[in-house]
Every structure is written in C-alpha cells, then in structure tokens.
Amino acid sequence: MSVNGFLAVEVNDLKKSFGPVKAVDGISFNVGQGELFGFLGPNGAGKTTTINMLTGLARPDSGTIRISGFEVTRHSKVAQHLVGVVPDESNLYPELTGFENLCFCAALYGIPKQERQRRAKELLNRFDLAEVAGRKFAGYSKGMKRKLTIAAGIIHRPPILFLDEPTTGLDVASARQIRQTIAELNNSGTTIFLTTHYIEEAERLCKRIAFIVSGKIIKIDTRENLLKPVKRQYVLLITLSGDSIRREISPSKLSAAFPYLRFELYESGQVRVKSSQPIPVGPLVRFFEEQGGEVLEARRVRPSLEEVFVELTGIEIELMKREKEKSGGAGL
C-alpha cells in the first residue's frame, strides 16, 4: 500500500450530503506514503466532494480524515501545509502573470520573498513555462493553465498532492505531458491522490484504484488484482444506429441466437459482447443486419480496467466521458 509502511491519508466512514442528495455515503480508505492512488468514477459520483473534504475546503457531516496522522477538522492548518491541491477548475488569477501567480501562492504559505521567487523560476522552467512567465494567466492555453495550476499546488513542496480531474478538456499532447509530470512527481516521492473519469488514465498511472459510484466505494484494490478477472476474456464492441437497437434487438433475442456469448446493450446504440473464447464477428454482424439494425462498427477490445468497471457498475464508459465533457468538468 505504501513505500515505507506509513499512511499519508486515512479516511473512515466519511459522509456528506447536500439536502436530500448523499454526495458521499460512508466511504473508507487509506493512501500510503509515496503511493499514486486513483479515485475513479462518473460525473456526480462524489469525487470532488471527497477531495474538498480531504483538503479542508468542505466539512464532512460525519466520519474522520487524517493527513499524515493529523485529524483534519482539529488540525486544519497543519494538514493544509502538508498538502497541495490542484482543483478541476483553476483557482489562479487571470490578471496576474504566471510568475506573479506562483509568487502569490508561495506567499500564502509564508515563504520568504527571495525563496518564493527562486522557487517560482524553478517551477516555470520545470514545466516549460519560462517563456510565458511574464504573460498574464488569462492568455495561457488550457495546457499551460493546467501546468501552472499544478506548479502552484506544489510551490510549498507538499508531501501529498491532490489532483482533481487534471486532464479533463485538454488536447492529447497536453494530457500526455500532464500525465508524464504526475508520474515524475510520484517517482520523486510525492504521494498523489488522483480523481479521474478516464479509465485509461487510472490504469496507466495508478497502482491502486477505488471505484466510486453514487457516493459509495464499490471496489478498491491494486491494478493487478482488478485486472485478473478479465485477462482471459474476449470482448467485441459493436456500434449500431441508435434507433435500431432499441426498436428491433432485445437481450432475449441475442441470448437465444448466441447462447455461448454474453451481451450488454447500451442506450447509445452499442453492444458489448463477451466470451471466454474468440468471438466470431461475421455471424454477429449478419444477425444484426437481419434484425434491421445498421452496423456502424465492430471492433475487438483489449481486456482492460474498463471491462472491470463496466461489469461492476453497469455504467457505459463512452456515455460517462460525454457527460463529463458536457458538464465542463463540474461534479459533486
């Protein structure tokens, strides 16, 4: 769980409601020092609410949180100095330059002027932002803004870093660079708590992952243990025209025609086919066409953490991504 046996984060029976909505419903977990821990779930699952409580931005209704042994509600100032926070929406000032933003954040932690200026320059170089250090933050690209927000989160050299959806809305190149930065920070010893709705991001970066849905943790384990059930599984993803699947094709028809296969039907017009044996594509395509369905795509899917998530939650991954992007990254 940790690289040295110590716990960076301890959470026990944490709850938080907003009126009748239970945003976080009795979750418990630990994060070891030096660990890169993933918190994976759809929009509204409770990821941001959890991170806000862990970092002292929101008070839990009940339950306990310890950061490096300090109980957060009783030792909030101590706990806040031990953590860096990168929110899903940037909290930096658009009218200040990149350099000024970093110096201002350092000042909030009581870092002396000369030291904070030196540290700001170091981070601007480290994140390839030195050339735009004098440009106002409002003029930065999305990727630049995200990198500067991460730099601001570690300006005081915190041993624990909380990252809330760090790559949402970024282009492929910027997202890849951010993931590389996250891995480098973790390799240098920083404990990282990462919330994400990108399953491939969690699978690539995290050694241990928690699935959270509707405020509850439904599974938590190492990446290797989570992947064990699907390693010998064959998966085929068939995309049909949206109306045809709802109108013409039913699970009972599919099961009767192909009793040796398992099917999952989604509202978007996708059918996920699973088997312990290789799946014949031709007979399936012909069946759907005979039922009046239009096959838009049929592709084999490499068994991955996505299969585990879908089996445990019943949530369609593509739908989860679209909802997240549509919401602009906001969520409970």
Side-chain angles (χ1 to χ4, degrees), residues 22-55:
K22 293 182 178 180
V24 175
D25 192 9
I27 64 173
S28 300
F29 63 89
N30 296 323
V31 181
Q33 281 189 10
E35 186 174 11
L36 206 171
F37 182 84
F39 213 54
L40 178 65
N43 192 31
K47 302 189 301 296
T48 297
T49 300
T50 299
I51 222 172
N52 285 343
M53 288 189 286
L54 296 182
T55 56

Side-chain angles (χ1 to χ4, degrees), residues 170-182:
L170 297 185
D171 60 83
V172 173
S174 296
R176 186 183 300 118
Q177 194 172 21
I178 294 299
R179 289 179 185 126
Q180 183 179 346
T181 299
I182 292 169

Side-chain angles (χ1 to χ4, degrees), residues 36 53 153 164 273-274 312 319 324:
L36 206 171
M53 288 189 286
D164 194 5
V273 189
K274 299 178 182 178
L312 288 172
L319 184 62
K324 186 67 182 182

Side-chain angles (χ1 to χ4, degrees), residues 4 21 32 86 95 99 114 116 119 126 128 142 166 169 200 212 215 230 241 255 263 267 269 294 296 299 303 310 322:
N4 53 19
V21 179
V86 180
E95 69 275 14
F99 179 74
Q114 275 193 319
R116 62 180 179 246
R119 181 72 176 142
R126 178 176 181 177
D128 296 323
K142 282 185 178 180
E200 65 275 14
I212 180 169
V230 299
S241 56
S255 297
F263 297 92
E267 290 184 3
E294 181 187 357
L296 303 178
R299 61 183 174 90
V310 170
R322 287 196 297 273

